[in-house]
Amino acid sequence: MKITAILSVLEEMAPLAYAEDFDNVGLLVGNANAEVTGILVCHDALESVIDEAIAKKCNLVVCFHPILFSGLKKITGKNYVERAVLKAIKNDIAIYAVHTALDNHKHGVNKIFCNALGLTNTKILVPKKNFIQKLVTYTIPENVEQLRNALFDAGAGKIGNYEDCSFNSKGIGTYMGNEDSNPEIGQRFEFVANEEIKIEVTFEKHLQSKILKALFKNHVYEEVAYEIYELQNAHQNIGLGMIGELEKPMTEDDFLAFVKDKMQCGGIRHSALLGKSIQKVAVLGGSGSFAIGNAKQAGADIFLTADLKYHNFYEAENQLVLADIGHFESERFTKNYIVDFLKEKILNFAIIFSEENTNPVKYL
């Protein structure tokens, strides 16, 4: 099996189109056409992890955080990033990162976080914007079913928990072909007024080329009339963070102790306790200070995230509790999910859970 075949599975788990624009995801190092000898799954692809991959005969390292985040002008081994990359290249080891592609997935980092705490009724905290497009096209009634189904098969028409969604309306289309035309209905230089059906479907923007390919392949007209619009609607199933509910309310102290135990935290920094029970919980794995306002707006009793700065804690404003549980800790079970997903999709192949603890933060 070649690495490129594994990449297809990884993109099924965490579509690269879901990643944030600032991120660096996908195959970062290595040849996609190389034969896979083994897959090592880790949180951070540090030099020690590359050593582990060498020892365990794995030539593909799947990591959560990208070891290459900003551009490298030189690779001389002067820092931990360059040393890891140099060792990977020298030993023909490929590195693939998922990061925000998995952060934004409805079954990804934050759903894993919620599951670890037993939260129910979960939904996206910060739905992704500028990700939905709309196709409008027109065809004759005899072509509607074939064309519409082809668009559905290409990924159009999915809205929330529903699929095969479209809006269809009747109208009259007119045209007149010139000497180079070959009309499906009517003759050259003949003015045609014919009944047509207008089909409208939405789709995730990264599917545009696939949608258009299905449109042109299944439309009966020589010249296909269509329009594509950018929609302002947020995507309710793609985005950062999640909010959910505990089965039963807990006191603030009990809940923080519960989180510390479940997420194996070395410590938790938090804003002032409010003397209220905790039931509605917002989470965002990794650095989440930007979503404090979203957690407030969603009515969360507490917001669990990481990398909060001194002044961020003031933003609680006695509306909720802000808790920094640690960056690594908030994403702790992500690599477990990646291993389980790959083992379910790729049978009879070595997929190894890295034993390296790459958390750089230590506690007294």
Side-chain angles (χ1 to χ4, degrees):
M1 179 181 290
K2 293 185 182 294
I3 288 176
T4 187
I6 308 297
L7 303 190
S8 298
V9 178
L10 288 167
E11 281 217 51
E12 180 184 347
M13 178 188 71
L16 298 184
Y18 287 10
E20 296 297 307
D21 293 338
F22 64 79
D23 205 4
N24 189 30
V25 294
L27 187 63
L28 306 183
V29 175
N31 180 5
N33 291 316
E35 291 288 333
V36 182
T37 60
I39 303 170
L40 183 71
V41 178
C42 67
H43 203 83
D44 304 275
L46 304 181
E47 186 179 11
S48 60
V49 173
I50 304 302
D51 286 332
E52 183 183 10
I54 295 168
K56 294 178 178 177
K57 296 182 171 36
C58 295
N59 67 341
L60 174 59
V61 172
V62 177
C63 53
F64 179 65
H65 289 138
I67 187 66
L68 286 171
F69 193 73
S70 50
L72 289 179
K73 292 185 178 179
K74 298 178 181 178
I75 308 179
T76 61
K78 67 181 180 183
N79 57 45
Y80 78 97
V81 172
E82 293 180 13
R83 287 192 293 274
V85 172
L86 275 173
K87 184 161 285 189
I89 293 172
K90 184 178 179 180
N91 291 277
D92 294 322
I93 293 173
I95 302 175
Y96 185 100
V98 294
H99 205 208
T100 58
L102 191 57
D103 274 315
N104 276 311
H105 198 286
K106 66 179 181 179
H107 297 305
V109 175
N110 296 293
K111 181 60 174 174
I112 298 164
F113 196 164
C114 287
N115 290 346
L117 300 177
L119 302 183
T120 60
N121 301 322
T122 56
K123 62 180 181 180
I124 300 293
L125 181 64
V126 189
K128 197 168 182 65
K129 296 180 179 179
N130 304 316
F131 201 72
I132 302 175
Q133 294 183 336
K134 182 179 183 180
L135 170 72
V136 178
T137 191
Y138 314 82
T139 190
I140 56 176
E142 295 82 358
N143 181 227
V144 167
E145 187 173 356
Q146 175 186 336
L147 179 58
R148 192 170 51 211
N149 287 341
L151 294 173
F152 292 156
D153 289 343
K158 293 187 168 98
I159 302 176
N161 296 320
Y162 297 84
E163 56 185 46
D164 295 356
C165 303
S166 68
F167 186 80
N168 307 266
S169 53
K170 292 182 180 180
I172 301 297
T174 65
Y175 57 84
M176 182 170 65
N178 62 21
E179 67 273 10
D180 296 321
S181 66
N182 184 27
E184 178 73 16
I185 297 173
Q187 304 297 322
R188 296 172 185 169
F189 305 110
E190 177 187 359
F191 178 80
V192 175
N194 193 61
E195 181 181 349
E196 289 187 340
I197 305 296
K198 179 181 180 181
I199 304 173
E200 302 177 60
V201 289
T202 60
F203 58 93
E204 296 174 5
K205 67 178 182 180
H206 65 284
L207 298 174
Q208 185 184 114
S209 60
K210 190 176 179 182
I211 298 294
L212 290 179
K213 183 177 179 180
L215 172 66
F216 297 141
K217 182 178 180 181
N218 291 276
H219 205 295
V220 294
Y221 281 175
E222 180 184 21
E223 297 288 349
V224 179
Y226 71 95
E227 303 144 36
I228 290 179
Y229 301 98
E230 297 279 349
L231 300 185
Q232 296 300 310
N233 309 52
H235 198 307
Q236 63 184 5
N237 280 334
I238 301 174
L240 295 168
M242 276 198 165
I243 186 161
E245 297 177 351
L246 290 167
E247 185 177 344
K248 294 180 180 179
M250 300 175 69
T251 67
E252 292 163 323
D253 287 328
D254 285 347
F255 180 70
L256 288 171
F258 169 74
V259 171
K260 186 176 180 181
D261 176 61
K262 287 292 184 181
M263 305 305 291
Q264 302 169 39
C265 305
I268 296 179
R269 300 186 303 137
H270 61 81
S271 62
L273 301 183
L274 305 177
K276 301 177 181 178
S277 61
I278 300 292
Q279 184 158 31
K280 202 168 186 180
V281 181
V283 306
L284 198 154
S287 302
S289 61
F290 66 89
I292 292 172
N294 299 86
K296 288 180 184 176
Q297 189 174 10
D301 300 312
I302 191 166
F303 179 34
L304 306 176
T305 187
D307 301 343
L308 296 180
K309 295 181 179 180
Y310 177 87
H311 289 94
N312 291 141
F313 289 99
Y314 285 125
E315 296 178 48
E317 296 185 300
N318 294 322
Q319 296 179 40
L320 80 173
V321 176
L322 297 177
D324 185 332
I325 74 167
H327 194 120
F328 179 89
E329 289 80 1
S330 68
E331 301 166 340
R332 175 179 295 280
F333 301 113
T334 301
K335 64 180 182 180
N336 304 63
Y337 175 83
I338 296 171
V339 167
D340 290 343
F341 187 93
L342 292 177
K343 283 185 175 179
E344 183 179 331
K345 298 291 182 177
I346 305 170
L347 305 178
N348 303 319
F349 199 83
I351 300 165
I352 299 172
F353 189 97
S354 173
E355 296 175 6
E356 287 290 309
N357 181 352
T358 59
N359 187 1
V361 180
K362 309 301 177 186
Y363 300 87
L364 286 174

